[in-house]
Amino acid sequence: MGSLLKNRGWVIGALAVAILFPFVLPNAYFLHILTLAFIWMIAVYGLNLLAGYTGYLSLAHAGFFAIGAYALGLLTVKTEINYWLALVLACLITSAIGAVVGLVALRTREHFFAIYTLCVGYIIYLVIDKWDGLTGGVRGLIGIPVPSNIGPLSFETPLSQYYLVLFFLIFTVLVMYRIVHSLTGRTFIAIRNSEDLAQTIGISTMKNKLLVFVLSTFFAGLAGALYASFIRFIGPDIGYITIIFDLLTYLLVGGIGTLAGPIVGTFLIVAVSQSLQFLQDYRMLIFGPLLTLLIIFYPRGIVGAYYDWRMKHTAKKVKRTRKEQRYFESETVDAEKKVKEG
Amino acid sequence: MLIETKKLTKRFGGNVAVNEVDFTIEEGKINAIIGPNGAGKSTFFNLLSGSYTPSAGQVIYKGKDITKLSPDRIAKLGVARTFQTTNLFEQSTVLDNVIVGHRLRTKSNLWDAVLRTKRFAKEEKKCREKAMEVLDFVDLTHVMNQQAGSITQEEKKRVAFALALATDPEVVFLDEPTAGINPGETEGLADLMEKMVKRKITVCLIEHKMKMIMKLADKIMVLNYGEKIAEGTSEQIMNDPAVIEAYLGGDASA
Ligand SMILES: Nc1ncnc2c1ncn2[C@@H]1O[C@H](COP(=O)(O)OP(=O)(O)OP(=O)(O)O)[C@@H](O)[C@H]1O
Ligand SMILES: [Mg+2]
């Protein structure tokens, strides 16, 4: 609760900027980039719940992103069912596959888990790439429709899509906030802290880990589905390994295991790489070392560093008031002594 | 008799860490396990709390066989423990560290959290109150809102006690609760254990500090190379030739 109040200024500010941005800066290109960034943020939130709050670094999430995208694409293109039904189904299909993968993957820990999920991610990519009959293989899937109208609301224009994606981002953040600030979230954090300890205070770790895994694939799937209907063309490369490393970079820079991290990191990296576009792939020469330094000195990213700074700040304040109190108390004691002596 | 082990055994490859140990833990008492380094004391605890599955033998808790239960199930039955090394979440406050300890007595799930149901509100409050109660019990109310990383070693031990107590246990296992703590503070922790027993919580602890244990424990078991070499009151233990040999003449007999 306290943290919400303390951060309320930030939340309202960010929300106002996001809502007003298209009016202040009516630029189609920026709008496009920002919408995409919002979509990535949703996926990063999914990853954050699992890697940041529960301590299981999954490298399969580009694969789940692609599953969400292809599920929506195939359902809308090949079966022509209602878009919103397809969106729900896409998320559910991704979660169901997530549950199956999780059941096996969560029997491993730490780097074994990372390696295992990396393989799963690559297998998902290969399946999409090679299963021509279903996915269209390297040719990709074209003609994915925009979201269908809800009453008077239509999603034909980029602006309306921007707000739609923003809506889902806000939904994601709200759900994440509520999970993290609940007994369920505390349970996840206890697992991250020490699985042995968590078990001895009565937490069924497997059940909870599976829950987080499925949840995080759900959000990866949601992001993928939104991507498909925003870009309207998808190829196997959206499930490729580089995507998961992008997502991970966003998360690490922003702050793993923090609520604002995914937004801060994604926005920052997207903005910086846009402005360094003239450097093409040489950008990585700058990003690589910067990222390494950041992880060494600020393992909880920019947001984590901000929290630490604020924590120290208030700790100092507490100390100062305590010192003053002690000083005051000793003075009164002295005074009492004098009274007694006198 | 609250817990009974029957020929409890744990092998790691060829190494028998716990060898056919028969032991009973008396209800409402302070039970202690002592023994040289590597004697199998922590392993014995891990078998009782379900962290390890025994290679052979049985663990009976209140007449029920819990040998094959998972640690979280055993915790729900009222068995709590602390570890030899305290692992708190240092970035969180002391209070936040303890709140999750009562999680096993709640039912709210993901939906309650996302939809902020009545049950959610009720149980959040319940866990918070429980945490305050046990922090008061271990005398840590004054550091409740400090980061767990910033408190002293002795206070961290107390937080670990509080976390175990938050599960509403009938018995707590404490693995070397006073390791790395100075003598003055050790006494404080010993008092705390006596306070637990007064609250009808059975205590079972592993300790190296002989003086303290002889004064504190109602019943002692001595382990050596995984085997029980003695069991009884402090006097019985102190005068037991096998114990004296294990502690003083171990090398001579080997
Ligand atoms: N997970 C494990 N795998 C293999 N061997 C183990 C394992 N845990 C303990 N052991 C071995 O079992 C024996 C008993 O270890 P244990 O930790 O129970 O001793 P201890 O009595 O608690 O010692 P200390 O006083 O040093 O804490 C040791 O030889 C140890 O190496
Ligand atoms: Mg030990």
Side-chain angles (χ1 to χ4, degrees), chain B residues 29-45:
Chain B
K29 297 258 166 66
I30 296 185
N31 305 262
I33 299 171
I34 61 173
N37 288 106
K41 305 178 297 292
S42 295
T43 306
F44 187 70
F45 264 24

Side-chain angles (χ1 to χ4, degrees), chain A residues 78-131:
Chain A
K78 299 212 167 160
T79 69
E80 296 183 350
I81 59 169
N82 174 280
Y83 173 86
W84 300 103
L85 182 61
L87 183 67
V88 172
L89 284 176
C91 294
L92 293 182
I93 289 169
T94 316
S95 314
I97 296 174
V100 176
V101 170
L103 268 175
V104 182
L106 291 167
R107 299 194 182 276
T108 62
R109 282 188 196 187
E110 291 163 13
H111 38 285
F112 295 105
F113 180 81
I115 294 166
Y116 182 83
T117 49
L118 183 68
C119 295
V120 170
Y122 194 67
I123 290 169
I124 294 173
Y125 162 77
L126 282 181
V127 168
I128 293 172
D129 193 58
K130 305 294 178 219
W131 195 352

